[in-house]
Every structure is written in C-alpha cells, then in structure tokens.
Amino acid sequence: MANIHQSIAELVGRTPLLQLNGYNRAKQLSANIIGKFELFNPNQSVKDRIALAMVEEAERTGKLQKGDTIIELTSGNTGVGLAAIAAAKGYKFRVYIQDQVSKERFQVIHALGGETVKLSEVPEVVEVFEKYGPDFIKCVEAIERHVSGEKNVWFADQTRNPQNPNIHYRTTGPEIWQDTDGRVDAFVACVGTGGTLSGVGNYLKKHNPDVKIYGVQPTEDSFQSPERPEQEEITGVHPFENTKEEYIPANLDRTVYDGYFEVHTNQAYEAARLLAKKDGILVGASSGAALYAATQLASRDEFRRKNIVVLLPDTGLRYLSTHLFEE
Ligand code: PMP
C-alpha cells in the first residue's frame, strides 16, 4: 500500500531514540545515555508538536477561525513550528521574538511566510524590561496588552496553553516508554515553558514512579549583561529554580522533577561538539545543555548501567551563525 502523507501535520512526532555510543565511549560513561532526537520533526524541533496541538485544539473549540492571525511570543522554535502549521493550514502568523536569537530563526520564519516583530519594537515590552529586566512571564502579559485591541487574532501562548504539556504527555512520553520497552531509568530535559519536562515526566512517572526526572537551567553567568555583552545564551531555556516565583511558567509542574542541573553556555557547546564528532549529528545549544547534565548524572553510582534518556530539542543547523560549532 502506498505510504504518502498529505500534510506536514502527519509528520510531527514519532522521533527516534539513538543510543549515543560514540559520546558514551568518549566520556567513558558507565551509564547509557540515549538521545531523543526532536530534529526529526518536519521543521526540526520539538516545538512542531506543541504548534500542531495548540492550533488543532483552537480550531476544535472555535477560538481560531479561517482568516485569523496566529500570534505567539517565542525565542524561535515555537515560531518556526507555528509558522509552518499556519502556512500548511492557511492562517497568517505573527511572532514576537527576542532580539538576540540566531538569525537563522528569523530567516526560517520569513521563509515560511510569517511576520517577525522584535521585542525591542514593542513599547509595552520595553517598559517591562526597563522595570523588571528580561522577565519572560511579564513579557507574555505585555504582548497580551499589546494585541488586546486587535480583532481576528489568536494568541497561542505556549507558557499557559495546557495543550503544551498535554501533547508531550500524549506523544513524547509514550514514544520514549514504548521505544525503550519501559526500560528508562532517568529522563533529562531543559526547561523553557516547562511543557516537555512536565508532560514527559508525568507520563513516565505514571508508568513507573521510580523513574527519575531532571530539569536543566542555565547558570546565571550564561546570560548577557553589561559585564558580559558578548555572552551567547542557551536559547529557549530559562531559570526555574532559585528564581522569583512569578518567573516560573504556569506549564511547569514543579512536583514532577526529582532534581535539576545548572549548565553554562560553554559546557552546553562542549557537549554538542563532542556529540557531533563522535556520533555524527548536529544538535542545538539546549540539546548540548541537556546532554551535559545527563553526563553529570551518568557519573553517579546509582546510574551505573542504567538508561538515561535525554531530550535533544532541535538541530545544530539553526545555530551556524553562533559560536556553537566554532572551537
Ligand atoms: N530548547 C529549545 C531550543 C527551545 O526552543 C525550548 C522551548 N522554549 C526548550 C529547549 C524548552 O522546552 P520547553 O518549553 O518544553 O520547556
């Protein structure tokens, strides 16, 4: 029987697990790190999953209608995913995006027919930044105020939309469980909105309460500041521990994880570079961060000969204009 898909929507998810044999050997790890490669989604990131889930739910409930403009605030990948789904389904798309993300993200969104607006061009956001600094959650509220008078727009809002963790509970988690035959001892993922960690974590814990779940956040000195104007950040990832309560995204279930790791941009880059050299695949900065954290976990005695699944959110090709692969 022919096996021809009719829409990119049918190509989202069912990404492969790959045991990182080259990396594991190079690091002489006694635990087994297995990567979940989200770059196999049609637009090369984990965010294709939530883009499709949020749009289809909004269609079902009538919040999104023909001719509408989809709006989102994102550091890039959700914008790419939504731009693609909008293109395939015939909606307009506008994304509010951090100024400092790699230029590939702007290029890809434009190629998919989406409009980009830098956060520095939105007066409500500039006001928030001046008052509170780069606060992601306050920024969401500022965008909400900015578009509140507009008609025929639908704000997807990945930080609060329950379809974000739900789709990981319904797809990413079950895929990991099935593809390991239930032999997964730990799961490691970076936190941006918290959707991935919460959805996958809850699914795995439901099937085996002994599975250990770990979140990853950037170290404080991974952020740009007047002292570090050139600092490259780990795109898409935000602090969720040792931070102000109001900075924590609604989609992060704080009861689901057993611990967390802090990773510096340079450590994230180091891990991604070694994976490229040893296993032959390019992943992005947050993948490097999650892999670096998984490597720390793998050196603990309790994980000897255990399977650690690490979520690798996107492709390294989206970072060629950064220093990720420049040693
Ligand atoms: N890595 C990248 C590259 C991302 O774009 C995101 C999403 N902001 C994450 C990690 C974190 O995923 P989540 O939002 O599900 O916590």
Side-chain angles (χ1 to χ4, degrees), residues 88-106:
K89 286 178 173 277
Y91 298 104
K92 287 175 279 214
F93 178 61
R94 186 194 316 147
V95 62
Y96 295 90
I97 194 164
Q98 283 164 298
D99 292 47
Q100 65 271 33
V101 304
S102 71
K103 73 173 186 207
E104 287 87 334
R105 284 178 162 72
F106 289 94

Side-chain angles (χ1 to χ4, degrees), residues 217 220 239-244 254 260 262:
Q217 70 179 21
E220 226 178 284
F240 59 99
E241 284 283 345
N242 301 326
T243 189
K244 286 192 190 142
R254 300 185 72 192
Y260 71 99
E262 288 194 348

